[in-house]
Amino acid sequence: MSSEARILNFSAGPAVLPEPVLTQLQAEMLSLPGVGMSILEISHRSAVFERILEQTLTDLKQLLNVPSGYQLIFLQGGASLQFSMVPMNFLLPDTQAAYIDSGSWGRKAMCEAKREGAISVAWSGKSEGYKRMPKQSEMVLPENPAYLHITSNETIEGIELFDDWDLGDTPLICDASSDILSRPLDVSKYSLIYAGAQKNMGPAGVTLAIVKEELLTRGKRGLHTMLDYSTYVENNSLYNTPPVFSIRVVGLVARWMLDNGGLAAMADLNQRKAELIYQALDQSEGFYRGHADKDSRSRMNLTFRLPSEELEAEFVKMASASGMDGLKGHRSVGGIRASIYNAFPLTGVEVLASFMRDFARQKA
Amino acid sequence: MSSEARILNFSAGPAVLPEPVLTQLQAEMLSLPGVGMSILEISHRSAVFERILEQTLTDLKQLLNVPSGYQLIFLQGGASLQFSMVPMNFLLPDTQAAYIDSGSWGRKAMCEAKREGAISVAWSGKSEGYKRMPKQSEMVLPENPAYLHITSNETIEGIELFDDWDLGDTPLICDASSDILSRPLDVSKYSLIYAGAQKNMGPAGVTLAIVKEELLTRGKRGLHTMLDYSTYVENNSLYNTPPVFSIRVVGLVARWMLDNGGLAAMADLNQRKAELIYQALDQSEGFYRGHADKDSRSRMNLTFRLPSEELEAEFVKMASASGMDGLKGHRSVGGIRASIYNAFPLTGVEVLASFMRDFARQKA
């Protein structure tokens, strides 16, 4: 089908993918060029797939400027399984794991860690209604923390942490599911970064982790094979059958990013896109009320309220009639949420900004 | 590309998929009909995906003739993660889990269970070289077993268990990764059946489990959320983002099976296909030596040796030149392995059988 028939997809994830990636997947669905098999059908032990995996890892390393001493691995189960694997591997006896309670996802990570050992809340945004991310200076760390866990972007509340903190010897572990690859980050500041693919990276069903080798040496021993990060590192993510197709898509998306200027270009574009919406919001004379404090405004998930729930419902309905899908806020917080990841087009953001102005003019 | 350019893919998994399924995936890659988004891009909370999930579950229940009192769920991580989840959930304190040591996969399941508690080997094929599956009467169960775990098909050794055992009150748990949906089975005899999708069901990256509700009531409490079967049952596999695309493919494959006569027809065809190869083997006057005892010969993964490793290498090379890929046996056992799951065409099996006769004639 032609691209004209595609709608504007503001979904928080799974989310819009680059159209050239979809077109290539379509072209090779019955056979990878010269291979005679679909990517869905090839053995993960084949030379063809090994090349795909290797190129994907190489491209991701280049995009993220990963220094030596780090390993990239692919896992399954989404960030939610990582919430468990992190404390299983790294919350050692007689230590406490520090968590930032930054919103819905930070809390979920914290809850799983409690099943595994002692945790300490280094900062909580709860009393403020999860409107902002903290500064590093606000952290209260326990003595000898096993690690500090942060969530760089809270998709539901729409707040984002833009700084790469330097914690010295304390391992910094980051759930970057919803903003990874949206801008450059300093990998060297982190001991572990993990991210479900289904926002900026690819389809649901594969999770990327960037692990510092030094952290692995501190990990617990005797874990279940599939819940031990070392298994993935030692077997180049091929201990068991990986999600072959999903990794292929991640590879194509990574290649698309490199072809379009890498993370610096992605960051520029994402900032421009977010500003268009936030401007429409700030210039609405209070008709739209952003949830996030300005410094913490997410460039990935933009959340705002209207004067009433009725107007919010009408906004979503009229937007949908204009070809804009997925704007309803998460059921836990309500309101409107526009998710505009890397692959969401600037022209689509312009359509929404213009719609916002028109709607406010009519209804204010 | 045309189907002529596709090769004969004997891979053990990921494996060949029905061409009509690939064609449909190709057609809808940029937009599900009338939706304006690719299946890779739609929210798992959308009405569109809910319908896809529901239809997939309905079709699988029909195919497998699932009685009431059972729940179908989708998980991630492959059968390998199930090796851990099964004992985590059901190996209760003061009980022993019984395992059949039937081959490579049965052993792996057993190894993970040992991390969780006490196990008992109910039968082992090790001393016989894993050439056959046991009879139920050969089992030696501990007193008050938590469950008995079996592997219905060992892909590496090429042996298959065709009986549905009746264990009375002892929960029977089956890893059916490599023969699920290849023939009818009596679900009522099992408390839990699990299967990675990448052989008969779909792409790598999604795992189906059929859980008896009564078993869930016996399960441990306080487990990590993503490692607790109850999470998936209570949330209809939507606690977190499921592998949306992989589930779509499973749905299309299930529909293809229903359209082609269901599991009875699949079983007939699979038997005919397997017989063609085993005949060529049995009529080769000892040139080909099957690994499995005749009663346990797998209809999914057919394993055999040639008079020498040199001839095996030549067999694989010449077959490859004739458009047959993936015939090399698993590195742990060597020899030849032809994996001919549901979607592997009868005509392709005929090509291999004919090739086997020619090769034996030339080389014997």
Side-chain angles (χ1 to χ4, degrees):
Chain A
M1 70 176 286
S2 71
S3 64
E4 279 70 36
R6 282 170 53 83
I7 63 173
L8 292 174
N9 177 7
F10 290 93
S11 169
V16 63
L17 288 169
E19 212 170 295
V21 168
L22 295 175
T23 305
Q24 180 160 352
L25 290 169
Q26 185 175 48
E28 65 187 36
M29 186 46 70
L30 270 87
S31 171
L32 284 164
V35 175
M37 297 179 272
S38 169
I39 179 70
L40 297 173
E41 304 172 306
I42 60 168
S43 169
H44 56 297
R45 308 275 176 213
S46 64
V48 172
F49 182 68
E50 272 177 19
R51 276 195 302 273
I52 288 173
L53 177 60
E54 215 42 54
Q55 190 62 53
T56 302
L57 293 173
T58 302
D59 288 350
L60 286 171
K61 280 179 199 160
Q62 187 185 336
L63 273 169
L64 288 158
N65 195 20
V66 178
S68 66
Y70 286 79
Q71 296 283 342
L72 267 62
I73 55 176
F74 287 115
L75 307 99
Q76 294 186 60
S80 294
L81 185 58
Q82 298 302 299
F83 298 164
S84 294
M85 281 181 64
V86 165
M88 282 176 168
N89 280 261
F90 306 119
L91 178 40
L92 303 175
D94 305 321
T95 66
Q96 288 183 57
Y99 277 77
I100 302 289
D101 174 20
S102 51
S104 305
W105 294 108
R107 288 189 75 79
K108 283 199 170 189
M110 208 159 74
C111 285
E112 299 302 327
K114 283 181 189 164
R115 302 181 189 279
E116 208 55 31
I119 73 137
S120 163
V121 181
W123 183 84
S124 174
K126 190 178 182 187
S127 63
E128 300 174 33
Y130 297 122
K131 292 160 87 82
R132 69 175 181 98
M133 290 290 186
K135 301 276 170 214
Q136 190 185 334
S137 57
E138 294 176 274
M139 294 303 99
V140 181
L141 291 181
E143 220 168 304
N144 191 25
Y147 56 81
L148 171 68
H149 181 280
I150 62 173
T151 311
S152 54
N153 184 69
E154 288 280 358
T155 51
I156 291 176
E157 289 80 6
I159 55 176
E160 189 169 0
L161 179 63
F162 298 100
D163 307 325
D164 297 314
W165 293 349
D166 191 338
L167 295 188
D169 283 345
T170 300
L172 180 60
I173 296 182
C174 179
D175 173 3
S177 293
S178 48
D179 65 352
I180 195 165
L181 297 173
S182 72
R183 54 186 165 80
L185 86 171
D186 183 353
V187 172
S188 74
K189 297 289 200 296
Y190 300 84
S191 287
L192 171 61
I193 299 168
Y194 64 85
Q198 67 268 18
K199 282 93 159 71
N200 273 316
M201 229 176 348
V206 64
T207 303
L208 173 71
I210 305 164
V211 202
K212 193 172 185 178
E213 287 159 10
E214 190 274 332
L215 181 69
L216 289 175
T217 64
R218 305 195 195 188
K220 283 188 234 170
R221 302 275 171 259
L223 295 170
H224 282 269
T225 306
M226 291 291 289
L227 300 171
D228 187 334
Y229 288 105
S230 300
T231 300
Y232 299 81
V233 170
E234 286 163 12
N235 295 279
N236 193 25
S237 303
L238 292 170
Y239 170 78
N240 76 334
T241 313
V244 173
F245 173 79
S246 300
I247 291 172
R248 171 65 171 165
V249 185
V250 171
L252 293 178
V253 171
R255 175 49 47 193
W256 172 82
M257 289 186 200
L258 284 170
D259 290 345
N260 285 277
L263 298 197
M266 293 294 139
D268 279 352
L269 188 58
N270 286 325
Q271 188 161 0
R272 279 174 63 200
K273 280 154 53 181
E275 273 171 8
L276 282 174
I277 308 287
Y278 286 128
Q279 267 172 17
L281 188 152
D282 289 334
Q283 295 168 356
S284 73
E285 294 172 356
F287 184 78
Y288 300 110
R289 287 169 293 121
H291 173 77
D293 284 0
K294 286 195 176 179
D295 284 353
S296 293
R297 280 176 167 178
S298 172
R299 292 175 197 151
M300 298 286 102
N301 313 97
L302 290 65
T303 52
F304 53 91
R305 304 299 306 245
L306 271 64
S308 71
E309 289 191 11
E310 290 68 31
L311 279 169
E312 286 167 354
E314 201 181 336
F315 182 97
V316 169
K317 199 176 161 191
M318 282 182 63
S320 178
S322 305
M324 288 178 275
D325 189 79
L327 283 165
K328 196 173 170 198
H330 190 272
R331 59 196 182 285
S332 63
V333 296
I336 306 294
R337 173 173 59 174
S339 297
I340 49 171
Y341 302 113
N342 285 350
F344 194 94
L346 177 64
T347 50
V349 172
E350 288 165 347
V351 171
L352 174 61
S354 164
F355 175 84
M356 285 173 70
R357 289 182 210 281
D358 290 347
F359 190 87
R361 214 168 8 240
Q362 283 170 38
K363 306 290 178 181
Chain B
M1 71 176 284
S2 73
S3 63
E4 279 71 35
R6 282 169 55 83
I7 63 173
L8 293 173
N9 176 8
F10 289 93
S11 170
V16 62
L17 287 170
E19 212 170 294
V21 168
L22 295 176
T23 306
Q24 179 160 352
L25 290 170
Q26 186 174 47
E28 66 189 35
M29 187 46 71
L30 271 86
S31 170
L32 284 163
V35 175
M37 297 180 271
S38 170
I39 180 69
L40 297 173
E41 303 172 308
I42 60 168
S43 169
H44 57 296
R45 309 275 176 213
S46 65
V48 172
F49 182 69
E50 272 176 19
R51 277 197 302 275
I52 287 173
L53 177 61
E54 214 42 53
Q55 189 63 51
T56 302
L57 293 172
T58 301
D59 288 350
L60 287 171
K61 280 180 200 162
Q62 186 185 336
L63 275 168
L64 288 158
N65 194 20
V66 177
S68 65
Y70 286 80
Q71 297 282 342
L72 267 62
I73 54 176
F74 287 115
L75 309 98
Q76 295 185 61
S80 293
L81 185 57
Q82 299 301 299
F83 297 165
S84 295
M85 280 182 65
V86 165
M88 282 176 168
N89 281 260
F90 306 119
L91 179 39
L92 303 175
D94 305 321
T95 67
Q96 287 183 56
Y99 276 77
I100 304 287
D101 174 21
S102 51
S104 305
W105 294 110
R107 287 188 77 79
K108 283 199 170 189
M110 208 160 74
C111 285
E112 299 302 328
K114 282 180 190 163
R115 301 180 190 278
E116 208 57 32
I119 72 136
S120 163
V121 180
W123 183 85
S124 174
K126 190 178 182 186
S127 63
E128 301 175 33
Y130 298 122
K131 292 159 87 82
R132 68 175 181 99
M133 289 291 185
K135 302 276 171 216
Q136 191 185 335
S137 57
E138 294 175 274
M139 292 305 98
V140 180
L141 291 180
E143 221 169 301
N144 190 27
Y147 56 82
L148 172 67
H149 181 278
I150 63 173
T151 310
S152 54
N153 185 69
E154 288 280 0
T155 51
I156 290 175
E157 290 80 7
I159 55 175
E160 189 169 1
L161 178 64
F162 297 101
D163 307 325
D164 297 314
W165 293 349
D166 190 337
L167 294 188
D169 282 345
T170 300
L172 181 60
I173 295 182
C174 179
D175 173 4
S177 294
S178 50
D179 64 352
I180 195 163
L181 297 173
S182 72
R183 53 184 165 82
L185 86 171
D186 183 353
V187 172
S188 74
K189 296 288 198 294
Y190 300 84
S191 288
L192 171 60
I193 299 167
Y194 63 85
Q198 68 270 18
K199 282 95 160 66
N200 273 316
M201 229 174 349
V206 65
T207 303
L208 174 70
I210 305 165
V211 202
K212 194 172 184 177
E213 288 160 8
E214 190 272 335
L215 181 69
L216 290 176
T217 64
R218 304 194 197 189
K220 281 187 236 171
R221 302 273 171 263
L223 295 169
H224 281 271
T225 306
M226 291 292 289
L227 300 170
D228 186 336
Y229 288 104
S230 300
T231 301
Y232 298 82
V233 170
E234 287 163 13
N235 295 279
N236 192 27
S237 303
L238 292 170
Y239 170 76
N240 75 332
T241 313
V244 172
F245 173 78
S246 300
I247 292 173
R248 170 65 171 167
V249 185
V250 170
L252 292 177
V253 172
R255 174 51 45 193
W256 172 83
M257 290 186 198
L258 285 170
D259 290 346
N260 285 278
L263 298 197
M266 293 295 139
D268 279 351
L269 187 59
N270 286 326
Q271 189 160 1
R272 282 174 63 200
K273 282 154 51 182
E275 272 170 9
L276 283 174
I277 308 286
Y278 286 127
Q279 267 171 17
L281 187 152
D282 289 334
Q283 295 168 356
S284 73
E285 294 172 355
F287 184 79
Y288 300 110
R289 289 169 290 121
H291 173 78
D293 284 359
K294 286 196 177 178
D295 285 354
S296 294
R297 280 177 166 177
S298 172
R299 293 176 195 149
M300 300 286 101
N301 313 97
L302 291 64
T303 53
F304 53 91
R305 304 298 306 246
L306 270 66
S308 70
E309 290 190 12
E310 289 69 31
L311 280 168
E312 287 169 353
E314 202 181 335
F315 182 97
V316 169
K317 198 177 162 188
M318 281 182 64
S320 177
S322 304
M324 288 178 277
D325 188 80
L327 283 165
K328 195 172 172 201
H330 191 273
R331 61 196 181 283
S332 63
V333 297
I336 307 293
R337 173 172 58 174
S339 298
I340 49 171
Y341 303 112
N342 285 348
F344 194 94
L346 176 63
T347 50
V349 172
E350 287 164 349
V351 171
L352 175 61
S354 164
F355 174 85
M356 285 172 69
R357 290 183 210 280
D358 290 348
F359 190 87
R361 217 169 4 243
Q362 284 170 37
K363 307 289 178 181

